[in-house]
Amino acid sequence: MAPLNLLTSPWFPALRRDGAVIEIRPCDITDRFEDNPIVDIVWPRADLRVGALEFLIGLLSTICPPEGGSDWLRWHESPPSPEELARRFAPFEKAFDLDGPGPRFMQEFGGLEGEPTPVAALLIDQPGANAVKNNTDLFVKRGKVAALGRSTAAAALYALQTFAPAGGAGHRTGLRGGGPLTTLAFSQQQDSLWRFLWLNAAMTFNSLEVGTPEQRLEDVFPWLAATRLSDKSGCATTLADIHPAQCFWAMPRRIVLEFEENAEGLPCAITGVVEDVIVQQYRTRPYGVNYQNCDHPLSPYYRVKEGAEWLAVHPQPGGLAYRHWIGFVCEGKARRPAACIAAAKSRLRVTGGDASLRLYGYDMDKMKARGFVEAERPLLIARAEHDQTFRYLVEALAESAREVAGQTVGAIRTARGGESGEGLEIVREGFFAETEHAFFAAVRAGLSEIEKSPDASRVEFFQRWLTETLAPCARKTFDREVSPVALADSGEPKELKKAIDARRMLHIALSGQGKGGAAIYGALGLGAPGKARKGKAK
């Protein structure tokens, strides 16, 4: 059977507007754009679907990136035909053979020796070798993935290389670290997969030109040459060593898939389809490419202090509360939104319409996947001249919520006698969940006020946020977690006094008094009650 080429063969399961599911080539993403466009990729697994989105955004960003705002708008309004995209992709076909004599897509140049590994290990959430050996695969059981079809194996390979978690000694994490957070902009008026992908296409790379002396394809697609090993005789790989577009094609894991005829008629464990060629195992070796300080345009970044290294954001066990949202949409000294979001905001100012932020990624505990995060939040965009004022407003809302949540949890801990307070992190996260709707309503209202009167005072606006949202939630949370009635019935007057004193101190802080009150009011740029302070509230 002919090799599966990931540019010329249909291998993505895609959904049309009319509900039909078909397999498409990458160039088919604009097929029947006017009357029945492709609207989504529909792999049964979320990580494979998100990997496919990154694959397609990577293709566009690498091979035909928008060269400027007008160039982007032209293809947004009138997309290229599948034939035009196929023509653009054609010079790079040799880099996208999945099987055959080689080179092979995202696999070790020249092959590998060693004991084979079951193909299930390509899937990040499957139990690893140690879990199977120690019989600790309690919730995700072994033996559920006996074989993958070629298309599914390609999707799993890309997802693993892109999101690769820690994999034991020498088995490198992905370019962004293990289980990075991906953030993509989505227009609510969007009517096709093409416009979703094109909205997030990177403008930071120059178009590749095959055959020019300065253009080495192995600098973009590392599987076209020997692996840059990272063992004792090897080295780290930085942006100076590669083409910037390699961020979409990073290859931290040394892998060779083993393809075989499907003599037993085994179905693909993910799709259920029986294919002629399957993958049941692969070979792998440690010390693949060790990426350092290589940015990726689809992830937000943070740093612990000014001047420190920028690190990709990762999903956390507590989820993605709105206090994190500001770091995904607004730049600050210690945070930086994904480059695709910064670009999308400029583009959406031109096209108009409501937009949202889509967030994806594995929540990893080193080698163990705790879950795959999918979330959607509003993407509210101020006019360019009001962007800084809007950022100050959002920072004030989020920081004041952090202060109130922290002091509420502190009061509960004090009421309980000062012990560590089992479950208080859940209480904190619950506070943000309960005030999330009000937060985004306040952000929308604040944006509207800024657009109408950018220089007006925000004192009353911030006071309403505190007195109508944060303070009532803080008191309700305290009373739910520390019941005076239960303490009174317990016959322990000392315990009851602790609770009463803790609630009184919380009330004092929410009223703007004391050290706690100064922190809350300071976050809002307010002075003590009755006094205005210069700053965010202006």
Side-chain angles (χ1 to χ4, degrees), residues 174-410:
L175 177 139
R176 294 170 277 179
L181 180 70
T182 293
T183 59
L184 299 176
F186 179 82
S187 171
Q188 301 293 355
Q189 283 70 41
Q190 203 160 277
D191 55 0
S192 66
L193 175 65
W194 163 259
R195 283 188 170 152
F196 181 32
L197 301 173
W198 192 236
L199 178 60
N200 293 282
M203 291 175 48
T204 54
F205 315 133
N206 295 322
S207 298
L208 300 184
E209 297 181 21
V210 175
T212 57
E214 66 277 8
Q215 187 68 75
R216 301 194 324 152
L217 286 188
E218 58 265 36
D219 290 342
V220 182
F221 308 117
W223 56 91
L224 297 180
T227 300
R228 286 177 59 89
L229 297 178
S230 56
D231 56 11
K232 291 181 180 179
S233 62
C235 55
T237 295
T238 68
L239 197 57
D241 303 308
I242 60 176
H243 189 286
Q246 191 177 136
C247 65
F248 284 106
W249 314 109
M251 203 175 77
R253 298 291 183 88
R254 302 173 67 193
I255 289 173
V256 174
L257 303 180
E258 295 197 346
F259 299 90
E260 56 187 283
E261 290 187 9
N262 190 4
E264 298 180 15
L266 295 174
C268 172
I270 304 301
T271 66
V273 176
V274 177
E275 300 184 22
D276 293 335
V277 178
I278 58 173
V279 180
Q280 291 190 277
Q281 57 189 22
Y282 65 94
R283 298 182 191 275
T284 184
R285 298 292 295 162
Y287 302 109
V289 184
N290 182 18
Y291 294 97
Q292 294 183 5
N293 300 317
C294 297
D295 287 354
H296 195 292
L298 304 187
S299 280
Y301 283 78
Y302 74 98
R303 56 186 178 183
V304 294
K305 61 181 180 180
E306 194 168 0
E309 176 187 355
W310 287 98
L311 304 170
V313 175
H314 296 250
Q316 297 298 316
L320 299 170
Y322 65 79
R323 71 181 184 278
H324 304 115
W325 174 82
I326 185 173
F328 306 149
V329 298
C330 296
E331 187 167 352
K333 291 182 179 179
R335 63 176 184 272
R336 192 178 71 202
C340 70
I341 300 303
K345 288 168 65 175
S346 297
R347 294 162 181 171
L348 289 165
R349 289 187 181 112
V350 175
T351 61
D354 294 333
S356 61
L357 185 72
R358 293 187 169 180
L359 307 105
Y360 315 95
Y362 268 110
D363 170 21
M364 300 297 305
D365 179 11
K366 297 180 181 179
M367 298 169 63
K368 179 183 177 181
R370 288 181 289 224
F372 192 84
V373 173
E374 287 189 278
E376 188 163 353
R377 299 288 185 270
L379 179 56
L380 302 168
I381 304 169
R383 293 203 295 266
E385 63 269 28
H386 300 153
D387 199 46
Q388 186 174 16
T389 303
F390 179 58
R391 186 175 75 242
Y392 286 156
L393 180 138
V394 173
E395 286 175 340
L397 294 175
E399 183 58 31
S400 60
R402 276 192 288 264
E403 280 290 344
V404 172
Q407 294 195 40
T408 302
V409 167

Side-chain angles (χ1 to χ4, degrees), residues 408-453:
T408 302
V409 167
I412 294 169
R413 180 181 291 112
T414 299
R416 292 177 176 176
E419 75 272 14
S420 61
E422 183 179 353
L424 286 183
E425 190 57 36
I426 297 174
V427 173
R428 184 192 303 273
E429 296 305 326
F431 180 93
F432 289 105
E434 289 183 45
T435 55
E436 180 172 298
H437 179 78
F439 170 81
F440 285 112
V443 172
R444 288 189 180 92
L447 176 58
S448 178
E449 286 190 16
I450 289 170
E451 300 288 5
K452 291 176 183 176
S453 305

Side-chain angles (χ1 to χ4, degrees), residues 1-65:
M1 179 172 285
L4 179 71
N5 185 279
L6 303 183
L7 293 185
T8 62
S9 304
W11 66 286
F12 282 116
L15 176 69
R16 286 199 185 276
R17 181 189 291 166
D18 66 2
V21 176
I22 60 172
E23 286 196 335
I24 64 169
R25 303 167 297 169
C27 63
D28 293 328
I29 53 178
T30 59
D31 185 53
R32 298 186 62 184
F33 181 79
E34 296 297 334
D35 67 309
N36 191 19
I38 304 296
V39 295
D40 205 355
I41 299 297
V42 288
W43 283 109
R45 287 175 56 102
D47 57 344
L48 303 193
R49 180 169 53 83
V50 176
L53 294 175
E54 294 204 20
F55 177 97
L56 292 168
I57 293 171
L59 270 185
L60 297 174
S61 302
T62 301
I63 296 175
C64 46

